[in-house]
Amino acid sequence: MNTDDTVRTFLDFYRERGHEPITGSTLLPPPSDPVLFTTSGMHPLTPYLQGRPHPQGRRLVDVQRCLRTTDLDEVGDPTHLTVFEMLGSWSLGDYDHPQSLRWGYELLRDGFGIPREKLYVTVFGGDEQLGPDLESLHSWWELGLPVESTRHENWWSNGPTGPCGPDSEIFFWTGDGPPEGRPTIDSRWVEIWNHVHMRYERGEDGELVPLRQVNVDTGMGLERFVSVLQGCRSVYETDLFEPWMRLVPPLWDLDELSVRVVCDHLRSSVVVLGDGVRPSNTGRGYVLRRLVRRLLTVLRRDDPSRSLGDLPGELVEHTLDHFRQSLGVDAVKDVLMDEELRFGRLLERGRRVLSRPEFRGLLSEEDFRYLHDTHGLPRDLVDGLKGQ
């Protein structure tokens, strides 16, 4: 099942059960939102989870593009991406959490053909404030799935305050041979879907207050789920990354980790550009500039002559088409090339600064702060220049 088939199967399943598809999957949150980018599928729905009526009803389904910079250091492993998509479904004060769990299992079993023995679930086992999520525990037992109880691992929130609640995480066995162990002790169990019983709001004082309505919020990372369905070792082996992994390695001689980082950061930069952001020294533009400079740092580590001018237009076009963005290939490449020129000038300035006697040895945290704040040299770039 390729990526398009996966999305279609998910959306059709929930449409048949009365869920309205919602649009507006841009990375950019509403102007009133202080967050730079949408970080999760539920993020744009926060007001409606808190009780505001949604214009399309109380059952919703969506494919939401997201961007997270908190995982940048993890990018290059089998599952983490900077820009990714979330398949999500919601009940805004409509059906209960057990119904969501039953539908979730039905979709995995019948829609995607995943056998029961390949699944394991975890549920909230209680903490200092709340007791265990017995409702979910009993629902999974009735469905015949093995269950493990945890504490903080099965509590979901989008930050220190706001809507939150206990969740059920569904794991898929990716190891060779029959499944063994359990999710908290064996990394071959990979999380594929999270069902959140979003019924509380945490205030500034840390106290939990019941929401005006009890919601269900589910989220499934598309790229990770597709890798599971296609039996791939990583998201980079799926059809979604096929043109990237076919064209980039012959273009630039890089090790596997570097290829993944370059592909992720380039792809993510194209998506951010497609959503209207341009490089700058502040806000969203700085996130984009940081991505481009990180990928250039990796790309030129062993060969300073490597250039984004060699990037095949097919890769840019493939990404823009997948994310349904109208920006042209030439416009994307023009911005990337301009950033490459700026990066070259930054490198020259960085080498001059780092050649000073006070920066020739090991650098302190104060040195890194000075180099960043005074000369615009981010730490990863300084580390790269020091290593040359």
Side-chain angles (χ1 to χ4, degrees):
M1 185 175 288
N2 64 27
T3 300
D4 289 341
D5 292 336
T6 302
V7 172
R8 190 178 306 112
T9 299
F10 184 89
L11 294 177
D12 286 349
F13 179 88
Y14 280 99
R15 282 195 193 103
E16 292 168 2
R17 286 152 185 81
H19 293 67
E20 285 293 319
I22 54 177
T23 56
S25 60
T26 173
L27 287 171
L28 309 186
S32 59
D33 196 321
V35 177
L36 294 178
F37 291 100
T38 297
T39 58
S40 66
M42 60 76 61
H43 189 163
L45 291 171
T46 300
Y48 308 105
L49 293 165
Q50 293 172 318
R52 182 192 301 177
H54 194 282
Q56 291 181 250
R58 298 200 296 169
R59 297 186 181 190
L60 307 173
V61 65
D62 188 19
V63 183
Q64 173 67 53
R65 70 186 69 140
C66 306
L67 184 152
R68 291 181 188 167
T69 57
T70 53
D71 296 330
L72 276 182
D73 291 336
E74 306 298 323
V75 169
D77 72 5
T79 61
H80 285 90
L81 297 168
T82 307
V83 167
F84 58 95
E85 291 182 282
M86 290 292 291
L87 302 173
S89 64
W90 292 271
S91 165
L92 304 177
D94 189 5
Y95 54 83
D96 58 20
H97 196 237
Q99 179 64 75
S100 177
L101 302 184
R102 289 192 294 271
W103 277 341
Y105 177 56
E106 181 184 349
L107 175 56
L108 293 175
R109 182 194 62 198
D110 300 338
F112 294 113
I114 296 178
R116 177 184 298 174
E117 58 270 19
K118 289 269 191 174
L119 299 175
Y120 211 124
V121 297
T122 60
V123 299
F124 180 66
D127 60 13
E128 299 80 6
Q129 290 183 285
L130 293 171
D133 182 8
L134 297 178
E135 187 178 51
S136 297
L137 182 65
H138 293 151
S139 295
W140 289 122
W141 282 347
E142 290 174 1
L143 292 169
L145 295 182
V147 186
E148 181 180 12
S149 294
T150 76
R151 287 169 65 85
H152 305 296
E153 293 92 339
N154 282 96
W155 183 267
W156 196 95
S157 64
N158 200 38
T161 62
C164 56
D167 65 32
S168 285
E169 297 176 358
I170 306 175
F171 291 79
F172 177 87
W173 175 253
T174 62
D176 296 327
E180 57 184 277
R182 58 184 191 273
T184 59
I185 63 171
D186 195 324
S187 62
R188 291 174 293 179
W189 287 106
V190 173
E191 182 192 345
I192 57 173
W193 204 357
N194 191 8
H195 289 241
V196 184
H197 195 184
M198 198 168 288
R199 50 183 175 162
Y200 297 103
E201 180 149 15
R202 191 180 297 278
E204 297 287 348
D205 59 1
E207 291 298 314
L208 294 175
V209 178
L211 286 167
R212 284 190 289 169
Q213 64 187 26
V214 177
N215 310 292
V216 176
D217 161 33
T218 86
M220 176 191 291
L222 173 61
E223 295 85 356
R224 182 184 298 187
F225 186 57
V226 168
S227 72
V228 164
L229 292 180
Q230 296 181 2
C232 299
R233 294 184 304 117
S234 79
V235 295
Y236 298 94
E237 296 178 2
T238 65
D239 64 305
L240 196 56
F241 276 89
E242 186 278 329
W244 287 93
M245 302 308 289
R246 170 168 46 86
L247 296 175
V248 169
L251 183 64
W252 298 310
D253 185 18
L254 301 165
D255 60 57
E256 183 179 30
L257 177 61
S258 297
V259 167
R260 290 177 175 183
V261 171
V262 166
C263 288
D264 169 86
H265 285 15
L266 267 172
R267 176 177 175 268
S268 298
S269 297
V270 172
V271 181
V272 175
L273 284 166
D275 271 355
V277 178
R278 295 296 176 268
S280 69
N281 290 326
T282 59
R284 296 186 181 107
Y286 180 69
V287 173
L288 174 57
R289 177 159 285 168
R290 185 183 176 200
L291 279 174
V292 176
R293 289 180 175 177
R294 278 175 62 95
L295 78 88
L296 285 169
T297 300
V298 174
L299 187 63
R300 294 183 168 191
R301 183 181 295 137
D302 301 320
D303 184 354
S305 68
R306 291 170 180 159
S307 171
L308 297 181
D310 299 325
L311 182 68
E314 176 186 337
L315 297 178
V316 179
E317 186 174 14
H318 175 268
T319 302
L320 294 172
D321 286 347
H322 175 76
F323 287 95
R324 303 167 299 282
Q325 296 171 311
S326 59
L327 188 64
V329 173
D330 290 341
V332 170
K333 295 191 71 172
D334 286 346
V335 174
L336 293 177
M337 290 304 300
D338 182 64
E339 281 301 295
E340 184 172 273
L341 290 173
R342 292 173 181 269
F343 179 75
R345 293 194 288 268
L346 181 65
L347 282 180
E348 293 175 8
R349 184 167 73 250
R351 291 191 182 98
R352 290 197 300 270
V353 172
L354 292 174
S355 68
R356 297 176 187 174
E358 63 267 33
F359 298 125
R360 287 179 184 169
L362 291 175
L363 300 181
S364 66
E365 291 301 319
E366 185 178 350
D367 291 331
F368 281 114
R369 283 194 296 271
Y370 169 80
L371 291 168
H372 180 271
D373 296 343
T374 305
H375 298 283
L377 299 171
R379 184 171 188 142
D380 51 359
L381 178 58
V382 172
D383 288 338
L385 289 172
K386 292 284 285 184
Q388 292 179 356

